[in-house]
Amino acid sequence: MPGDALSQDPAELRRRIDSSKAHPARVYDVFLGGKDHYPADRDAAAAGLAANPRGYLDVRHNRDFLRRAVTALAEEDGIRQFLDIGTGLPTAENVHQIAQRIAPESRVVYVDNDPVVLAHARALLTSGPEGRTDYIDADLKSPARILEQAAETLDFSRPVALCLVAILHFVEDEEAYPIVRELVDALPAGSRLVLSHLTEDLNPENIRAVQRTYTERGFTFVLRSRDDVERFFAEAGLKLAEPGGVVPVHHWRPDHAAPVPEQPEESYLAGLDDIEKVRYKDINDVTDADINVYGGLGVKG
């Protein structure tokens, strides 16, 4: 049931953690300036940054795409239910914070299977009294389990926004497309799919260098073309919303409101290594040559 993560023995969660191997959620946490990762994750992030020195812009703009998409769904489309799969570690401005600020009655279910994420689940489950936030310990590759448990919090007779943000490039084709179809098939008319995905269409040399660093660490890392990303929407019977369907994430309804980090003293900044400096970068300084992520929003008729 939702909340299983909270009832688990913290010692059992710790036993599930393999800190010797990098995990995508924790590498993501490094780039977002978080603290919930291990040396292996930091090494993987540093290797990715060395391969593509402005690669942090992919991670941060992917996160900002999620901010804008959830805002649009809550403000403009009246969506009040969100299913966020592969949510990653608690960071600033999670889905429930954005949605419930706009509509306090919003319900959000997070899904992840990384025990470090689960150990921090309580940090996510801070909902206002009108809404609800829950957490499921499950893998994207178990859609039936996700849907069954999410139904204890979400009302599947009313529209749901399914968020698959920067997760499908960790799944091979033979599993990825059927998973998305199964999840979307369970949602009612009026539901949405928020999806982002790494690609080699835009700046292939940079992203292939990053891909090599992660596949060497045992990650599945599938770069898909725009047509491949659009296929997720088409096979699930979804109509792509404006602007222009699937686009580089920084071009998806830009509002130029990405948070600008406070800048520390120059002397402090000078003492940091490159990966530590990332958290202080202003992502509004971005060009098309920096981004390797597509994003799109689909509507179920």
Side-chain angles (χ1 to χ4, degrees):
M1 60 180 291
D4 270 357
L6 297 186
S7 62
Q8 290 191 31
D9 180 358
E12 175 59 30
L13 286 176
R14 285 194 295 272
R15 280 192 290 273
R16 286 176 52 187
I17 296 169
D18 183 354
S19 61
S20 68
K21 295 180 181 178
H23 187 285
R26 301 194 302 259
V27 175
Y28 195 66
D29 180 66
V30 176
F31 279 110
L32 291 174
K35 298 178 180 178
D36 299 303
H37 51 261
Y38 296 95
D41 308 305
R42 187 184 175 86
D43 289 347
L49 192 66
N52 180 16
R54 288 173 67 80
Y56 64 88
L57 289 164
D58 280 332
V59 177
R60 299 267 299 281
H61 273 281
N62 174 75
R63 193 73 187 179
D64 202 56
F65 161 72
L66 177 64
R67 174 187 65 81
R68 299 193 308 276
V70 172
T71 298
L73 291 173
E75 279 188 346
E76 301 168 19
D77 298 350
I79 299 295
R80 298 293 180 261
Q81 301 191 106
F82 297 82
L83 178 58
D84 183 6
I85 302 178
T87 182
L89 291 151
T91 61
E93 291 295 275
N94 292 289
V95 170
H96 75 282
Q97 294 168 311
I98 301 166
Q100 291 176 355
R101 183 168 58 243
I102 296 164
E105 70 275 21
S106 296
R107 293 186 166 212
V108 179
V109 173
Y110 293 106
V111 182
D112 211 296
N113 70 334
D114 177 15
V116 175
V117 178
L118 302 179
H120 288 273
R122 284 188 178 85
L124 284 174
L125 302 183
T126 51
S127 180
E130 297 174 62
R132 186 169 171 188
T133 308
D134 270 315
Y135 210 106
I136 297 172
D137 177 5
D139 191 292
L140 173 63
K141 295 179 182 180
S142 304
R145 173 190 165 111
I146 290 171
L147 291 165
E148 178 185 3
Q149 295 188 9
E152 297 181 24
T153 300
L154 305 178
D155 177 358
F156 280 98
S157 70
R158 296 170 50 235
V160 175
L162 170 64
C163 301
L164 298 174
V165 174
I167 186 173
L168 288 166
H169 43 249
F170 299 117
V171 185
E172 298 286 1
D173 283 356
E174 62 270 17
E175 292 182 291
Y177 290 100
I179 285 169
V180 175
R181 286 197 303 272
E182 183 172 348
L183 289 168
V184 173
D185 283 350
L187 305 180
S191 292
R192 274 42 171 191
L193 171 62
V194 178
L195 186 152
S196 66
H197 200 294
L198 283 168
T199 183
E200 60 182 349
D201 285 359
L202 304 173
N203 302 289
E205 185 176 346
N206 289 348
I207 195 62
R208 285 173 188 158
V210 173
Q211 182 186 40
R212 284 193 296 274
T213 69
Y214 292 141
T215 54
E216 288 168 359
R217 288 164 170 78
F219 291 4
T220 298
F221 210 82
V222 184
L223 301 173
R224 293 188 171 98
S225 68
R226 180 174 178 171
D227 286 348
D228 293 335
V229 176
E230 288 180 340
R231 180 183 159 195
F232 284 112
F233 295 93
E235 289 194 1
L238 301 173
K239 179 181 178 181
L240 278 160
E242 292 298 323
V246 168
V247 297
V249 286
H250 64 309
H251 289 313
W252 194 90
R253 304 187 192 179
D255 62 5
H256 308 290
V260 178
E262 286 188 31
Q263 295 301 302
E265 295 289 337
E266 279 295 329
S267 57
Y268 173 78
L269 203 58
L272 302 180
D273 62 24
D274 288 343
I275 199 68
E276 291 170 328
K277 291 177 182 176
V278 163
R279 74 179 67 184
Y280 300 110
K281 301 285 188 180
D282 179 2
I283 69 167
N284 295 292
D285 169 31
V286 62
T287 71
D288 290 349
D290 294 319
I291 298 299
N292 302 281
V293 186
Y294 280 132
L297 173 65
V299 181
K300 186 170 182 178

